[in-house]
Amino acid sequence: MPILSNPLASILLALAIFGGGYWAGWSRADSAREAEVATLTAGYAEAHAKAEKKAREHLEEETQRANVLAVQLMGVKKEIAAQTKVITRRIRHAAQAGAAGCSFGPDFVRLYNEALGYRVGDLPEDAATGRAGHDAGSAPAAGPGVLPVKSVTLAVSPEDLLAHARDYGAWARGLQAQLSAVIRFAEAR
């Protein structure tokens, strides 16, 4: 009895051939899928590494630019500090030569402070912090204004006004230097 004449054997043979073919096709398709996934993964990893390298290089360039500008700004601030010391040494002589015996009363100080935009609470409590006789490098911290309005019992001298102009000018030049550095940093992009 031939195998093909037995219906059960024929069905089993057909199932075995179909199963073998299915398994071989699935195996090939799975291998192709795995190869495709491996190729995509390698491509993504390479693209990620390139993007990360480019971002790192850009960060290093921007950091270097910022560092250069910071060094330049520190140089400008040192120049301003040196100029402020020179001005401090010259204040007494300039005030005595130009307006000996001249002083300004409380109304002048109040108006002067208002013109600069200071409110009473903005001014320092200690009148000596911004006085001309104090060295700018050794003074605690020169506050805004000539004298607090609350404690104006002394007249303000031209020396005091020059000291305030010195401090205000140093502040304005420092702020201008910072702004210029930020603008250069932003425009260089």
Side-chain angles (χ1 to χ4, degrees), residues 38-55:
T39 302
L40 287 174
T41 302
Y44 291 149
E46 183 180 339
H48 180 74
K50 284 180 182 179
E52 195 173 70
K53 180 182 177 188
K54 184 177 179 181

Side-chain angles (χ1 to χ4, degrees), residues 107-173:
D107 290 336
F108 175 86
V109 173
R110 193 172 295 110
L111 184 59
Y112 184 85
N113 287 331
E114 285 178 28
L116 290 173
Y118 300 132
R119 296 182 309 264
V120 173
D122 293 340
L123 300 173
E125 291 299 320
D126 179 17
T129 58
R131 301 289 293 201
H134 289 71
D135 181 18
S138 64
V146 176
L147 288 175
V149 175
K150 294 180 193 173
S151 65
V152 176
T153 55
L154 301 174
V156 175
S157 69
E159 204 172 324
D160 294 327
L161 287 177
L162 287 173
H164 181 260
R166 171 205 61 204
D167 296 341
Y168 188 77
W171 172 81
R173 288 191 316 263

Side-chain angles (χ1 to χ4, degrees), residues 17 23 31 36-37 57 59 64 75 77 84 100 103 118-119 123 130 143 154 156-157 162-163 167 189:
I17 293 172
W23 181 80
S31 295
E36 184 180 358
V37 168
E57 289 171 353
L59 176 63
Q64 182 63 28
K77 286 191 171 195
T84 301
S103 64
Y118 300 132
R119 296 182 309 264
L123 300 173
L154 301 174
V156 175
S157 69
L162 287 173
D167 296 341
R189 295 184 139 220

Side-chain angles (χ1 to χ4, degrees), residues 1-3 5-6:
M1 164 154 124
I3 276 187
S5 61
N6 185 350

Side-chain angles (χ1 to χ4, degrees), residues 77-100:
K77 286 191 171 195
K78 284 180 182 180
E79 288 176 22
I80 291 170
Q83 292 168 352
T84 301
K85 285 184 179 186
V86 169
I87 290 170
T88 300
R89 289 191 297 266
R90 295 174 54 203
I91 284 177
R92 187 172 309 273
H93 174 70
Q96 289 173 351

